[in-house]
Amino acid sequence: MFFALPNTLPPAGLFTAAHGLLLLLTVLSLVLGLRLTRHFGEQRLRRVFLMLTVLLLLLETGKILFALLRVGTRNPNEFVPLYFCSITLAAGLFSGAGRGRLRLCGDIFLATGGLVGGIVFLLIPATSLPHYPAWHFLSLYSFLLHGAMVYMGLSLHLNGLYRIRREDLALAALPISLTAAAALLFNRIYDLVTGTEIANLMFLSRDFPGTPISLLYRLPRPLFTLLMWVIQALGPFLLVLLVTRLVGGRRAAQVPENGGEKRVF
C-alpha cells in the first residue's frame, strides 16, 4: 500500500473520513511544533527550518524517483518540481541558511505564499488523495510538505522574525514569477517537442478539473494564463497583508489608553 501505483487501490478521496484524519493529525502536529519552538531564538529556529527543508528535499527526490521508476510516467506534471508549493524547497534553504536579501526573499515566501498555499492544499489535497490511499507515501508526503509550509510561515510571524510590509510585494512576487516563467516556457517547449498538450506546470497552460481553476479556464487562454500568474504571484501576499492589518487593528483597538504592547499577528 505504501508505494502502490496510482488508482490501483481505493483512493482516500476529498472531504472523507480519511482526509479528515490526515488533516487532524497534521493540525495536531502543527500545534505541537509551534508550541515547542515558540520561544526559540532566531538562529535556533532557522536551523529547524534548514533541517526540515533538507528532509523535504529528500522526500521530494523520493517522489520523483517513484514517478519515474515505479509508475514509469513520462508526464512532466508528475515529476518536474515547478509548482507553487515547490518554491518552498528553495525558500526554506534561503530562510534557513541564506543571508541578506536571499534570506528575506525566503522569509517573505514562507510567511505569505507558503502559509496560504499550505492551508489551501490541506483543505483541498487535489493532487494526492483522489488517486492514493491515505497511508500512501505520496499522500503522507503531501501532508507533511504542506503542513511544514504552514508551520514555517506561522513561526516567522509568531516568533517575530518577519513582519509584513507593503514594500515587500515585489520580493514576494519575484520567486513566484521566475518559477511561473520557467514553467510556462517548459510547458510550451515540451508540448512542441512531443506533439502533445499535457504539460501544465504551475497550472498555467491547462485546466485542472475538480478545482476552482476550471472556472478561470473558461476565459480565453492568454487571459487565463495571465490571471493564474497574477493570482499566484500577488494573491497570497495581499491576503496575508490584509489579515495582519485587520488583526493588528483589532488588537490595537483593545489596548488600554494607559499603555500596553501592540503586536501584529
Side-chain angles (χ1 to χ4, degrees):
M1 176 186 291
F2 197 63
F3 292 106
L5 294 174
N7 302 310
T8 57
L9 293 173
L14 299 180
F15 314 120
T16 61
H19 178 191
L21 180 58
L22 281 179
L23 181 59
L24 176 62
L25 292 174
T26 303
V27 170
L28 291 176
S29 300
L30 174 62
V31 171
L32 178 61
L34 289 172
R35 287 182 63 87
L36 290 175
T37 60
R38 178 65 179 86
H39 299 292
F40 277 17
E42 178 176 358
Q43 295 308 313
R44 192 177 180 189
L45 188 64
R46 291 194 185 280
R47 283 197 296 269
V48 172
F49 286 7
L50 182 59
M51 290 187 292
L52 184 55
T53 305
V54 170
L55 173 62
L56 294 175
L57 282 167
L58 292 174
L59 293 174
E60 180 70 21
T61 301
K63 173 187 173 182
I64 294 170
L65 293 175
F66 174 83
L68 292 175
L69 303 180
R70 173 72 171 139
V71 179
T73 183
R74 292 300 178 263
N75 183 340
N77 302 328
E78 304 296 328
F79 60 86
V80 177
L82 280 176
Y83 286 103
F84 184 91
C85 295
S86 304
I87 302 172
T88 302
L89 302 174
L93 294 178
F94 295 163
S95 179
R99 294 291 185 272
R101 286 272 177 169
L102 199 62
R103 170 176 286 181
L104 177 59
C105 197
D107 287 351
I108 293 171
F109 178 82
L110 293 176
T112 58
L115 177 58
V116 174
I119 291 173
V120 170
F121 181 90
L122 293 176
L123 295 177
I124 312 175
T127 58
S128 59
L129 294 192
H131 310 289
Y132 298 98
W135 305 116
H136 192 277
F137 164 68
L138 291 187
S139 297
L140 294 175
Y141 168 55
S142 67
F143 273 78
L144 174 61
L145 169 63
H146 295 88
M149 291 165 62
V150 177
Y151 163 75
M152 289 189 284
L154 286 178
S155 291
L156 285 167
H157 287 288
L158 296 175
N159 289 53
L161 299 188
Y162 176 70
R163 195 168 296 268
I164 192 168
R165 307 176 306 158
R166 289 192 300 267
E167 295 81 2
D168 290 338
L169 180 60
L171 279 179
L174 179 62
I176 301 170
S177 294
L178 290 175
T179 304
L184 186 59
L185 181 63
F186 181 96
N187 291 344
R188 292 183 174 176
I189 292 176
Y190 183 90
D191 287 351
L192 181 64
V193 170
T194 61
T196 61
E197 292 187 356
I198 60 173
N200 193 26
L201 302 177
M202 285 288 285
F203 306 112
L204 291 171
S205 301
R206 315 208 138 60
D207 190 12
F208 189 41
T211 70
I213 293 174
S214 296
L215 298 176
L216 294 178
Y217 198 65
R218 300 173 185 175
L219 299 170
R221 184 68 60 84
L223 183 56
F224 164 79
T225 298
L226 177 62
L227 277 177
M228 285 297 297
W229 189 320
V230 171
I231 288 171
Q232 293 181 85
L234 304 181
F237 180 91
L238 295 176
L239 178 61
V240 174
L241 179 65
L242 175 62
V243 171
T244 55
R245 293 295 181 264
L246 291 175
V247 173
R250 181 177 302 175
R251 290 187 175 181
Q254 295 174 349
V255 173
E257 293 184 2
N258 60 352
E261 179 186 3
K262 290 191 290 184
R263 185 185 182 113
V264 177
F265 209 71

PDB file of all heavy atoms in Angstrom, residues 48-76:
ATOM      1  N   VAL A  48      16.096  24.782  12.561  1.00  0.00           N
ATOM      2  CA  VAL A  48      14.941  23.890  12.418  1.00  0.00           C
ATOM      3  C   VAL A  48      14.410  23.961  10.986  1.00  0.00           C
ATOM      4  O   VAL A  48      14.114  22.934  10.362  1.00  0.00           O
ATOM      5  CB  VAL A  48      13.835  24.267  13.424  1.00  0.00           C
ATOM      6  CG1 VAL A  48      12.563  23.469  13.144  1.00  0.00           C
ATOM      7  CG2 VAL A  48      14.308  24.014  14.856  1.00  0.00           C
ATOM      8  N   PHE A  49      14.283  25.180  10.453  1.00  0.00           N
ATOM      9  CA  PHE A  49      13.825  25.350   9.073  1.00  0.00           C
ATOM     10  C   PHE A  49      14.739  24.614   8.105  1.00  0.00           C
ATOM     11  O   PHE A  49      14.277  23.942   7.171  1.00  0.00           O
ATOM     12  CB  PHE A  49      13.800  26.834   8.698  1.00  0.00           C
ATOM     13  CG  PHE A  49      12.679  27.628   9.293  1.00  0.00           C
ATOM     14  CD1 PHE A  49      11.828  27.082  10.232  1.00  0.00           C
ATOM     15  CD2 PHE A  49      12.472  28.939   8.917  1.00  0.00           C
ATOM     16  CE1 PHE A  49      10.792  27.816  10.793  1.00  0.00           C
ATOM     17  CE2 PHE A  49      11.450  29.696   9.452  1.00  0.00           C
ATOM     18  CZ  PHE A  49      10.609  29.132  10.399  1.00  0.00           C
ATOM     19  N   LEU A  50      16.047  24.742   8.323  1.00  0.00           N
ATOM     20  CA  LEU A  50      17.014  24.128   7.416  1.00  0.00           C
ATOM     21  C   LEU A  50      16.906  22.606   7.463  1.00  0.00           C
ATOM     22  O   LEU A  50      16.869  21.946   6.414  1.00  0.00           O
ATOM     23  CB  LEU A  50      18.422  24.576   7.787  1.00  0.00           C
ATOM     24  CG  LEU A  50      19.554  24.055   6.897  1.00  0.00           C
ATOM     25  CD1 LEU A  50      19.353  24.479   5.456  1.00  0.00           C
ATOM     26  CD2 LEU A  50      20.906  24.547   7.413  1.00  0.00           C
ATOM     27  N   MET A  51      16.849  22.039   8.641  1.00  0.00           N
ATOM     28  CA  MET A  51      16.741  20.579   8.770  1.00  0.00           C
ATOM     29  C   MET A  51      15.436  20.082   8.174  1.00  0.00           C
ATOM     30  O   MET A  51      15.395  19.042   7.496  1.00  0.00           O
ATOM     31  CB  MET A  51      16.859  20.180  10.239  1.00  0.00           C
ATOM     32  CG  MET A  51      18.246  20.373  10.825  1.00  0.00           C
ATOM     33  SD  MET A  51      18.423  19.708  12.512  1.00  0.00           S
ATOM     34  CE  MET A  51      17.352  20.829  13.422  1.00  0.00           C
ATOM     35  N   LEU A  52      14.353  20.817   8.406  1.00  0.00           N
ATOM     36  CA  LEU A  52      13.061  20.425   7.865  1.00  0.00           C
ATOM     37  C   LEU A  52      13.074  20.479   6.337  1.00  0.00           C
ATOM     38  O   LEU A  52      12.558  19.571   5.661  1.00  0.00           O
ATOM     39  CB  LEU A  52      11.969  21.350   8.421  1.00  0.00           C
ATOM     40  CG  LEU A  52      10.520  21.051   8.043  1.00  0.00           C
ATOM     41  CD1 LEU A  52      10.145  19.621   8.413  1.00  0.00           C
ATOM     42  CD2 LEU A  52       9.582  22.048   8.720  1.00  0.00           C
ATOM     43  N   THR A  53      13.703  21.497   5.783  1.00  0.00           N
ATOM     44  CA  THR A  53      13.757  21.629   4.324  1.00  0.00           C
ATOM     45  C   THR A  53      14.617  20.541   3.701  1.00  0.00           C
ATOM     46  O   THR A  53      14.288  20.017   2.626  1.00  0.00           O
ATOM     47  CB  THR A  53      14.297  23.018   3.935  1.00  0.00           C
ATOM     48  OG1 THR A  53      13.508  24.037   4.558  1.00  0.00           O
ATOM     49  CG2 THR A  53      14.244  23.209   2.431  1.00  0.00           C
ATOM     50  N   VAL A  54      15.722  20.186   4.341  1.00  0.00           N
ATOM     51  CA  VAL A  54      16.557  19.093   3.829  1.00  0.00           C
ATOM     52  C   VAL A  54      15.758  17.791   3.802  1.00  0.00           C
ATOM     53  O   VAL A  54      15.825  17.020   2.834  1.00  0.00           O
ATOM     54  CB  VAL A  54      17.834  18.939   4.684  1.00  0.00           C
ATOM     55  CG1 VAL A  54      18.578  17.649   4.324  1.00  0.00           C
ATOM     56  CG2 VAL A  54      18.744  20.139   4.491  1.00  0.00           C
ATOM     57  N   LEU A  55      14.981  17.542   4.862  1.00  0.00           N
ATOM     58  CA  LEU A  55      14.113  16.357   4.879  1.00  0.00           C
ATOM     59  C   LEU A  55      13.122  16.398   3.724  1.00  0.00           C
ATOM     60  O   LEU A  55      12.906  15.387   3.034  1.00  0.00           O
ATOM     61  CB  LEU A  55      13.373  16.283   6.218  1.00  0.00           C
ATOM     62  CG  LEU A  55      12.304  15.187   6.327  1.00  0.00           C
ATOM     63  CD1 LEU A  55      12.920  13.800   6.164  1.00  0.00           C
ATOM     64  CD2 LEU A  55      11.555  15.299   7.654  1.00  0.00           C
ATOM     65  N   LEU A  56      12.515  17.558   3.490  1.00  0.00           N
ATOM     66  CA  LEU A  56      11.553  17.689   2.393  1.00  0.00           C
ATOM     67  C   LEU A  56      12.220  17.476   1.041  1.00  0.00           C
ATOM     68  O   LEU A  56      11.632  16.870   0.141  1.00  0.00           O
ATOM     69  CB  LEU A  56      10.893  19.070   2.441  1.00  0.00           C
ATOM     70  CG  LEU A  56       9.999  19.350   3.651  1.00  0.00           C
ATOM     71  CD1 LEU A  56       9.511  20.791   3.627  1.00  0.00           C
ATOM     72  CD2 LEU A  56       8.817  18.385   3.709  1.00  0.00           C
ATOM     73  N   LEU A  57      13.456  17.942   0.887  1.00  0.00           N
ATOM     74  CA  LEU A  57      14.182  17.725  -0.367  1.00  0.00           C
ATOM     75  C   LEU A  57      14.442  16.241  -0.612  1.00  0.00           C
ATOM     76  O   LEU A  57      14.327  15.754  -1.747  1.00  0.00           O
ATOM     77  CB  LEU A  57      15.503  18.497  -0.341  1.00  0.00           C
ATOM     78  CG  LEU A  57      15.413  20.006  -0.609  1.00  0.00           C
ATOM     79  CD1 LEU A  57      16.727  20.690  -0.234  1.00  0.00           C
ATOM     80  CD2 LEU A  57      15.086  20.255  -2.077  1.00  0.00           C
ATOM     81  N   LEU A  58      14.788  15.518   0.444  1.00  0.00           N
ATOM     82  CA  LEU A  58      15.000  14.073   0.304  1.00  0.00           C
ATOM     83  C   LEU A  58      13.708  13.367  -0.089  1.00  0.00           C
ATOM     84  O   LEU A  58      13.694  12.481  -0.951  1.00  0.00           O
ATOM     85  CB  LEU A  58      15.535  13.503   1.618  1.00  0.00           C
ATOM     86  CG  LEU A  58      16.953  13.939   2.006  1.00  0.00           C
ATOM     87  CD1 LEU A  58      17.307  13.421   3.407  1.00  0.00           C
ATOM     88  CD2 LEU A  58      17.972  13.438   0.986  1.00  0.00           C
ATOM     89  N   LEU A  59      12.607  13.769   0.543  1.00  0.00           N
ATOM     90  CA  LEU A  59      11.317  13.159   0.218  1.00  0.00           C
ATOM     91  C   LEU A  59      10.853  13.552  -1.183  1.00  0.00           C
ATOM     92  O   LEU A  59      10.231  12.745  -1.888  1.00  0.00           O
ATOM     93  CB  LEU A  59      10.275  13.566   1.258  1.00  0.00           C
ATOM     94  CG  LEU A  59      10.518  13.012   2.664  1.00  0.00           C
ATOM     95  CD1 LEU A  59       9.512  13.595   3.656  1.00  0.00           C
ATOM     96  CD2 LEU A  59      10.420  11.480   2.667  1.00  0.00           C
ATOM     97  N   GLU A  60      11.151  14.781  -1.592  1.00  0.00           N
ATOM     98  CA  GLU A  60      10.807  15.201  -2.959  1.00  0.00           C
ATOM     99  C   GLU A  60      11.589  14.378  -3.978  1.00  0.00           C
ATOM    100  O   GLU A  60      11.053  13.993  -5.024  1.00  0.00           O
ATOM    101  CB  GLU A  60      11.119  16.689  -3.138  1.00  0.00           C
ATOM    102  CG  GLU A  60      10.804  17.238  -4.522  1.00  0.00           C
ATOM    103  CD  GLU A  60       9.315  17.329  -4.809  1.00  0.00           C
ATOM    104  OE1 GLU A  60       8.512  17.346  -3.847  1.00  0.00           O
ATOM    105  OE2 GLU A  60       8.954  17.409  -6.001  1.00  0.00           O
ATOM    106  N   THR A  61      12.845  14.079  -3.669  1.00  0.00           N
ATOM    107  CA  THR A  61      13.629  13.208  -4.540  1.00  0.00           C
ATOM    108  C   THR A  61      12.992  11.826  -4.620  1.00  0.00           C
ATOM    109  O   THR A  61      12.907  11.219  -5.695  1.00  0.00           O
ATOM    110  CB  THR A  61      15.071  13.086  -4.015  1.00  0.00           C
ATOM    111  OG1 THR A  61      15.661  14.388  -3.952  1.00  0.00           O
ATOM    112  CG2 THR A  61      15.909  12.196  -4.921  1.00  0.00           C
ATOM    113  N   GLY A  62      12.523  11.324  -3.458  1.00  0.00           N
ATOM    114  CA  GLY A  62      11.816  10.049  -3.449  1.00  0.00           C
ATOM    115  C   GLY A  62      10.555  10.088  -4.289  1.00  0.00           C
ATOM    116  O   GLY A  62      10.217   9.116  -4.992  1.00  0.00           O
ATOM    117  N   LYS A  63       9.841  11.200  -4.244  1.00  0.00           N
ATOM    118  CA  LYS A  63       8.633  11.353  -5.057  1.00  0.00           C
ATOM    119  C   LYS A  63       8.965  11.295  -6.548  1.00  0.00           C
ATOM    120  O   LYS A  63       8.261  10.643  -7.329  1.00  0.00           O
ATOM    121  CB  LYS A  63       7.963  12.687  -4.719  1.00  0.00           C
ATOM    122  CG  LYS A  63       6.800  13.042  -5.622  1.00  0.00           C
ATOM    123  CD  LYS A  63       6.297  14.445  -5.333  1.00  0.00           C
ATOM    124  CE  LYS A  63       5.250  14.880  -6.352  1.00  0.00           C
ATOM    125  NZ  LYS A  63       4.773  16.266  -6.105  1.00  0.00           N
ATOM    126  N   ILE A  64      10.035  11.971  -6.952  1.00  0.00           N
ATOM    127  CA  ILE A  64      10.439  11.970  -8.357  1.00  0.00           C
ATOM    128  C   ILE A  64      10.841  10.566  -8.802  1.00  0.00           C
ATOM    129  O   ILE A  64      10.454  10.098  -9.879  1.00  0.00           O
ATOM    130  CB  ILE A  64      11.585  12.964  -8.572  1.00  0.00           C
ATOM    131  CG1 ILE A  64      11.094  14.400  -8.319  1.00  0.00           C
ATOM    132  CG2 ILE A  64      12.171  12.837  -9.978  1.00  0.00           C
ATOM    133  CD1 ILE A  64      12.202  15.431  -8.280  1.00  0.00           C
ATOM    134  N   LEU A  65      11.617   9.877  -7.966  1.00  0.00           N
ATOM    135  CA  LEU A  65      12.027   8.509  -8.301  1.00  0.00           C
ATOM    136  C   LEU A  65      10.826   7.578  -8.367  1.00  0.00           C
ATOM    137  O   LEU A  65      10.769   6.687  -9.227  1.00  0.00           O
ATOM    138  CB  LEU A  65      13.036   8.008  -7.268  1.00  0.00           C
ATOM    139  CG  LEU A  65      14.393   8.714  -7.267  1.00  0.00           C
ATOM    140  CD1 LEU A  65      15.257   8.201  -6.120  1.00  0.00           C
ATOM    141  CD2 LEU A  65      15.102   8.526  -8.601  1.00  0.00           C
ATOM    142  N   PHE A  66       9.866   7.758  -7.475  1.00  0.00           N
ATOM    143  CA  PHE A  66       8.650   6.944  -7.511  1.00  0.00           C
ATOM    144  C   PHE A  66       7.924   7.128  -8.840  1.00  0.00           C
ATOM    145  O   PHE A  66       7.484   6.157  -9.476  1.00  0.00           O
ATOM    146  CB  PHE A  66       7.727   7.331  -6.355  1.00  0.00           C
ATOM    147  CG  PHE A  66       6.385   6.660  -6.386  1.00  0.00           C
ATOM    148  CD1 PHE A  66       6.226   5.371  -5.880  1.00  0.00           C
ATOM    149  CD2 PHE A  66       5.280   7.304  -6.915  1.00  0.00           C
ATOM    150  CE1 PHE A  66       4.992   4.736  -5.914  1.00  0.00           C
ATOM    151  CE2 PHE A  66       4.039   6.683  -6.949  1.00  0.00           C
ATOM    152  CZ  PHE A  66       3.891   5.394  -6.449  1.00  0.00           C
ATOM    153  N   ALA A  67       7.795   8.382  -9.286  1.00  0.00           N
ATOM    154  CA  ALA A  67       7.093   8.657 -10.537  1.00  0.00           C
ATOM    155  C   ALA A  67       7.825   8.072 -11.736  1.00  0.00           C
ATOM    156  O   ALA A  67       7.208   7.500 -12.643  1.00  0.00           O
ATOM    157  CB  ALA A  67       6.911  10.164 -10.707  1.00  0.00           C
ATOM    158  N   LEU A  68       9.154   8.192 -11.753  1.00  0.00           N
ATOM    159  CA  LEU A  68       9.926   7.749 -12.912  1.00  0.00           C
ATOM    160  C   LEU A  68      10.157   6.248 -12.934  1.00  0.00           C
ATOM    161  O   LEU A  68      10.064   5.613 -13.998  1.00  0.00           O
ATOM    162  CB  LEU A  68      11.271   8.480 -12.936  1.00  0.00           C
ATOM    163  CG  LEU A  68      11.228   9.988 -13.213  1.00  0.00           C
ATOM    164  CD1 LEU A  68      12.623  10.585 -13.076  1.00  0.00           C
ATOM    165  CD2 LEU A  68      10.662  10.273 -14.594  1.00  0.00           C
ATOM    166  N   LEU A  69      10.475   5.668 -11.774  1.00  0.00           N
ATOM    167  CA  LEU A  69      10.873   4.261 -11.732  1.00  0.00           C
ATOM    168  C   LEU A  69       9.731   3.320 -11.380  1.00  0.00           C
ATOM    169  O   LEU A  69       9.632   2.230 -11.951  1.00  0.00           O
ATOM    170  CB  LEU A  69      12.018   4.086 -10.730  1.00  0.00           C
ATOM    171  CG  LEU A  69      13.264   4.932 -10.987  1.00  0.00           C
ATOM    172  CD1 LEU A  69      14.325   4.666  -9.928  1.00  0.00           C
ATOM    173  CD2 LEU A  69      13.812   4.669 -12.386  1.00  0.00           C
ATOM    174  N   ARG A  70       8.895   3.702 -10.449  1.00  0.00           N
ATOM    175  CA  ARG A  70       7.805   2.835 -10.023  1.00  0.00           C
ATOM    176  C   ARG A  70       6.588   2.972 -10.933  1.00  0.00           C
ATOM    177  O   ARG A  70       6.078   1.988 -11.461  1.00  0.00           O
ATOM    178  CB  ARG A  70       7.418   3.166  -8.577  1.00  0.00           C
ATOM    179  CG  ARG A  70       6.180   2.451  -8.060  1.00  0.00           C
ATOM    180  CD  ARG A  70       6.432   0.992  -7.827  1.00  0.00           C
ATOM    181  NE  ARG A  70       5.303   0.395  -7.129  1.00  0.00           N
ATOM    182  CZ  ARG A  70       4.799  -0.797  -7.398  1.00  0.00           C
ATOM    183  NH1 ARG A  70       5.353  -1.531  -8.360  1.00  0.00           N
ATOM    184  NH2 ARG A  70       3.794  -1.287  -6.712  1.00  0.00           N
ATOM    185  N   VAL A  71       6.153   4.202 -11.154  1.00  0.00           N
ATOM    186  CA  VAL A  71       4.995   4.425 -12.029  1.00  0.00           C
ATOM    187  C   VAL A  71       5.413   4.347 -13.486  1.00  0.00           C
ATOM    188  O   VAL A  71       4.659   3.879 -14.338  1.00  0.00           O
ATOM    189  CB  VAL A  71       4.344   5.791 -11.718  1.00  0.00           C
ATOM    190  CG1 VAL A  71       3.156   6.052 -12.628  1.00  0.00           C
ATOM    191  CG2 VAL A  71       3.904   5.853 -10.255  1.00  0.00           C
ATOM    192  N   GLY A  72       6.624   4.816 -13.778  1.00  0.00           N
ATOM    193  CA  GLY A  72       7.104   4.785 -15.156  1.00  0.00           C
ATOM    194  C   GLY A  72       6.505   5.875 -16.020  1.00  0.00           C
ATOM    195  O   GLY A  72       6.493   5.765 -17.249  1.00  0.00           O
ATOM    196  N   THR A  73       6.026   6.940 -15.405  1.00  0.00           N
ATOM    197  CA  THR A  73       5.388   8.003 -16.167  1.00  0.00           C
ATOM    198  C   THR A  73       6.420   8.864 -16.873  1.00  0.00           C
ATOM    199  O   THR A  73       7.555   9.000 -16.415  1.00  0.00           O
ATOM    200  CB  THR A  73       4.531   8.893 -15.249  1.00  0.00           C
ATOM    201  OG1 THR A  73       3.865   9.880 -16.047  1.00  0.00           O
ATOM    202  CG2 THR A  73       5.391   9.607 -14.214  1.00  0.00           C
ATOM    203  N   ARG A  74       6.015   9.434 -17.984  1.00  0.00           N
ATOM    204  CA  ARG A  74       6.819  10.440 -18.664  1.00  0.00           C
ATOM    205  C   ARG A  74       6.039  11.749 -18.751  1.00  0.00           C
ATOM    206  O   ARG A  74       6.414  12.641 -19.514  1.00  0.00           O
ATOM    207  CB  ARG A  74       7.202   9.950 -20.070  1.00  0.00           C
ATOM    208  CG  ARG A  74       8.167   8.762 -20.051  1.00  0.00           C
ATOM    209  CD  ARG A  74       9.472   9.124 -19.349  1.00  0.00           C
ATOM    210  NE  ARG A  74      10.397   8.002 -19.267  1.00  0.00           N
ATOM    211  CZ  ARG A  74      10.524   7.219 -18.207  1.00  0.00           C
ATOM    212  NH1 ARG A  74       9.773   7.436 -17.131  1.00  0.00           N
ATOM    213  NH2 ARG A  74      11.377   6.234 -18.197  1.00  0.00           N
ATOM    214  N   ASN A  75       4.992  11.847 -17.966  1.00  0.00           N
ATOM    215  CA  ASN A  75       4.211  13.070 -17.879  1.00  0.00           C
ATOM    216  C   ASN A  75       4.936  14.035 -16.946  1.00  0.00           C
ATOM    217  O   ASN A  75       5.070  13.768 -15.761  1.00  0.00           O
ATOM    218  CB  ASN A  75       2.812  12.759 -17.345  1.00  0.00           C
ATOM    219  CG  ASN A  75       1.914  13.976 -17.304  1.00  0.00           C
ATOM    220  OD1 ASN A  75       2.369  15.121 -17.323  1.00  0.00           O
ATOM    221  ND2 ASN A  75       0.611  13.754 -17.247  1.00  0.00           N
ATOM    222  N   PRO A  76       5.417  15.161 -17.443  1.00  0.00           N
ATOM    223  CA  PRO A  76       6.226  16.059 -16.605  1.00  0.00           C
ATOM    224  C   PRO A  76       5.451  16.628 -15.414  1.00  0.00           C
ATOM    225  O   PRO A  76       6.065  17.025 -14.418  1.00  0.00           O
ATOM    226  CB  PRO A  76       6.640  17.170 -17.572  1.00  0.00           C
ATOM    227  CG  PRO A  76       5.577  17.168 -18.625  1.00  0.00           C
ATOM    228  CD  PRO A  76       5.209  15.717 -18.793  1.00  0.00           C
TER     229      PRO A  76
END
